[in-house]
Amino acid sequence: MSDTESPASGGAKSVRGSTIVVADDDRLTRDLLAGMLRQHGYIVESVADGQAAIERVARGGVDLVLLDILMPRLSGLEACRLLKGMTSETFLPVLLVTVKTDTASRVEGLKIGADDYVCKPFDERELMARVEAMLRIKKLHDHVVEARARLEQLSMHDDLTGFYNYRYLHARLNEEFKRAERYHEPLACLVIDIDRLQVHNDAGGRQHGDMVVKTVAEAIRRGVREVDVVARFGGDEFLVVLPNTHFAGSVTVAERIWKDVYERPLLGEMARPLHVALSVGVALFPSRDVRTKDALLRAADNALHFAKREGGNRICVYQQQGQLYTPVSGEGTERRLPRSDRPTMNPSQSSRPPPRVASRGSDRPNRRGSE
């Protein structure tokens, strides 16, 4: 069914093949109802009491239930009440089967949630009309639920990568930041930018550019935990929130993603493989100048902007106002230098894989829950 096609547009044909459970302790009545329904193209399962009807509905795949009012073990009224409680998040039509003189039971059944009723002796045309009407309503309800789920998915997720979008991330980041404050836990934030994405678009077209974005997204997905939160915002940037993550853990994650992307050159339709480079800005809470959620985002963004100004393809960590640094491997040591005198790291200048980014030092605890 297309998004614009109404489930009710097909009339009776649109509900043929639906599964109906008929519950009646009288075998002749049960067989009569089942036979009528099967002649009109429905799948019918017959049971002898309300308890058996509930057990069948619990297994799923039922579109409508016909319940006789008076049955052993569990009456139709009680079964109706339980069924409506079981299916509160969906819509399962329940029709009561009564005699024409039993007005009190019909009224009570409608009050507890029954959707309609049919009277004995049955008029086949009336029975089919009521069943078809209830099934059309169910299909319309299911259609609305599916459409709402699609809209919720689109409102929170990026269509190309499947990551959260930036609007949702702000709400989630606020929750994570409050949790970190309450329990005095560290919180790290990475801003990842794809270097020269426009060059990839110009070289291989928009499709190649989308492939680059997807490749980076997969590397990020491989490099983070399930509890980490990733969002895409803009065309070439991702934001990663790492709960309960110290300095060493955040740099490890940044390095893992950075190296993973660089070491997987893209082939596509290009004549030669192309390496994709990333610039990564890292910020940590708590630190001297990071006391709020907005300050954490600004710090990560400042680190990223510095990495881009230095030529890209590097990881830059924000320490405090006017004090950023780039981790380098060298001989396994690293220095923190003022903004005007800082070592840079640009592995794309050689054919070798990028060097390993060193961690800050042993005075910082490892990232909890990783490796």
Side-chain angles (χ1 to χ4, degrees), residues 111-265:
K111 284 183 178 180
I112 65 174
D115 300 288
D116 204 349
Y117 61 87
V118 291
C119 296
K120 303 175 186 177
F122 304 113
D123 181 276
E124 185 171 350
R125 292 175 301 173
E126 180 186 5
L127 172 65
M128 291 304 115
R130 291 180 183 273
V131 167
E132 288 170 6
M134 284 294 105
L135 288 172
R136 286 198 302 271
I137 293 173
K138 174 176 172 56
K139 282 194 173 291
L140 284 168
H141 181 277
D142 294 345
H143 183 69
V144 170
V145 169
E146 291 172 4
R148 182 185 301 164
R150 286 197 300 269
L151 288 174
E152 289 178 356
Q153 173 78 9
L154 291 173
S155 70
M156 293 192 305
H157 292 80
D158 171 62
D159 196 36
L160 181 63
T161 63
F163 286 146
Y164 292 119
N165 58 29
Y166 199 54
R167 182 177 65 176
Y168 172 83
L169 182 67
H170 267 293
R172 181 65 182 274
L173 179 58
N174 191 51
E175 295 176 5
E176 295 295 343
F177 193 88
K178 287 181 178 179
R179 183 180 293 110
E181 281 187 311
R182 184 182 305 116
Y183 297 108
H184 305 286
E185 294 176 344
L187 182 68
C189 181
L190 313 181
V191 181
I192 302 171
D193 182 90
I194 304 173
D195 292 338
R196 301 175 182 87
L197 179 60
Q198 187 58 47
V199 174
H200 289 282
N201 284 332
D202 295 340
R206 185 61 179 269
Q207 185 176 3
H208 180 73
D210 287 347
M211 185 171 65
V212 171
V213 172
K214 289 180 180 179
T215 299
V216 173
E218 287 303 315
I220 295 173
R221 191 172 280 110
R222 287 190 295 268
V224 299
R225 306 166 298 180
E226 289 186 6
V227 297
D228 300 330
V229 185
V230 185
R232 181 191 178 204
F233 61 102
D236 55 1
E237 289 189 339
F238 298 86
L239 195 146
V240 183
V241 180
L242 306 173
N244 200 19
T245 302
H246 290 280
F247 174 89
S250 63
V251 173
T252 298
V253 174
E255 176 205 2
R256 183 187 301 139
I257 297 168
W258 181 57
K259 290 182 65 177
D260 190 1
V261 170
Y262 186 83
E263 292 173 350
R264 295 173 186 264

Side-chain angles (χ1 to χ4, degrees), residues 69 122-123 142 178 204 209 272 278 284 287-288 329 362 369:
I69 292 288
F122 304 113
D123 181 276
D142 294 345
K178 287 181 178 179
R272 58 186 178 82
L278 301 179
L284 305 165
S287 60
R288 178 185 296 183
S329 58
S362 59

Side-chain angles (χ1 to χ4, degrees), residues 246-248 359-366:
H246 290 280
F247 174 89
S359 61
R360 177 174 171 80
S362 59
D363 60 323
R364 300 272 187 168
N366 291 330

Side-chain angles (χ1 to χ4, degrees), residues 320-337:
Q320 64 190 61
Q321 189 64 33
Q323 190 84 24
L324 292 88
Y325 79 100
T326 302
V328 294
S329 58
E331 298 176 357
T333 61
E334 49 190 301
R335 299 170 290 168
R336 186 176 63 186
L337 302 175

